[in-house]
Amino acid sequence: MTEFSFGCVGVRADRYAAGPTLVFRLRVTAADNARVHALALRCQIRIEPARRAYEPAEADGLTDLFGERSRWGNTLQPVQFAQVSVMVPSFTGEIETDLVVPCTYDMEIAATRYLTALTDGEVPLLMLFSGTAFTGAGGFRIEPVPWDREASFRMPVATWREMVEQHFPGCGWIRLPRDTMDALLAYRSRHALPSWEATLKALLDGGAAADPPRSDPFRTLTGTTGRTDP
């Protein structure tokens, strides 16, 4: 079988994509200058949090994912980032190609929460490859890409932040259950509030002014629907 090796030589934020998108630059090498007609490649990308150090502020932001820092020896496990496919065109020996990875800013996703907590430095990634190769110099044969093919890459945190700012400049994003969202909309309408920012600020100010014991500012909303707090 043809021996393949993979490497990642760079990453950029796609400024023309409809949604948050990273473009990784892959280098694919076929041993012995082999002829490859096409390569149907699958790539699983994982974050390996144990492969970098963290500032105190970053550690505080990662508590909900990995627990207290004293437990990180057991809890700092890999986090799934993406799983994508790409069709690599014909080449002989070596080629570079783009791997397009759609991303999300949904804070329910563990990878997003991890990346948002980082302030600087690099994100340690492990890229795992598999797929099907169509090879042959004088003919045509089909070969599997072994499951043990992988490549490490350190993505700059600045690249992630650049991508987020392109689509959510100066903003955050949260997902709410439909009934909580309906109650929030009703609260905004009752108080004639001009924006969602003003609505949340009014709720937070109301919660801060409450007498001890302090209640969750969203309790007023969820209590009207019969749903427990999310």
Side-chain angles (χ1 to χ4, degrees):
M1 291 198 308
T2 305
E3 185 74 15
F4 288 99
S5 59
F6 301 89
C8 183
V9 297
V11 63
R12 59 182 172 84
D14 188 348
R15 63 176 59 251
Y16 302 109
T21 303
L22 292 172
V23 181
F24 292 86
R25 190 68 175 172
L26 293 184
R27 179 177 292 150
V28 183
T29 303
D32 301 322
N33 209 37
R35 177 84 170 103
V36 179
H37 301 290
L39 182 60
L41 194 63
R42 294 185 296 274
C43 179
Q44 181 182 152
I45 306 176
R46 295 177 183 171
I47 299 170
E48 298 209 310
R51 290 173 46 207
R52 64 158 282 169
Y54 299 92
E55 297 295 330
E58 294 175 326
D60 290 343
L62 295 172
T63 301
D64 63 332
L65 283 179
F66 305 120
E68 297 298 327
R69 197 161 191 162
S70 60
R71 300 176 52 213
W72 282 12
N74 296 321
T75 62
L76 220 59
Q77 300 298 318
V79 176
Q80 180 77 5
F81 180 61
Q83 188 161 335
V84 292
S85 299
V86 62
M87 182 62 73
V88 181
S90 174
F91 68 96
T92 299
E94 186 174 278
I95 191 175
E96 289 189 4
T97 190
D98 286 340
L99 180 69
V100 179
V101 179
C103 300
T104 178
Y105 196 44
D106 185 349
M107 294 300 291
E108 298 287 331
I109 306 300
T112 303
R113 286 152 61 196
Y114 173 85
L115 290 163
T116 302
L118 303 184
T119 59
D120 202 358
E122 297 173 327
V123 183
L125 300 176
L126 181 64
M127 311 177 84
L128 307 171
F129 299 96
S130 62
T132 304
F134 304 88
T135 64
F140 187 87
R141 65 177 182 269
I142 301 175
E143 305 178 26
V145 176
W147 282 89
D148 62 352
R149 304 295 90 176
E150 62 183 45
S152 296
F153 180 68
R154 302 187 75 87
M155 179 179 71
V157 173
T159 303
W160 166 265
R161 293 192 173 277
E162 176 190 350
M163 179 199 70
V164 171
E165 282 298 309
Q166 287 174 3
H167 295 275
F168 305 98
C171 298
W173 188 95
I174 58 173
R175 183 176 62 181
L176 296 173
R178 172 59 62 186
D179 52 357
T180 303
M181 191 66 197
D182 290 344
L184 190 61
L185 180 59
Y187 180 91
R188 176 179 173 177
S189 298
R190 284 197 308 271
H191 294 82
L193 295 166
S195 66
W196 289 118
E197 181 181 1
T199 302
L200 293 175
K201 188 174 185 303
L203 286 166
L204 292 171
D205 289 346
D211 292 331
R214 299 188 184 279
S215 60
D216 186 338
F218 284 100
R219 189 174 302 280
T220 304
L221 299 178
T222 55
T224 61
T225 63
R227 184 185 179 94
T228 58
D229 294 338

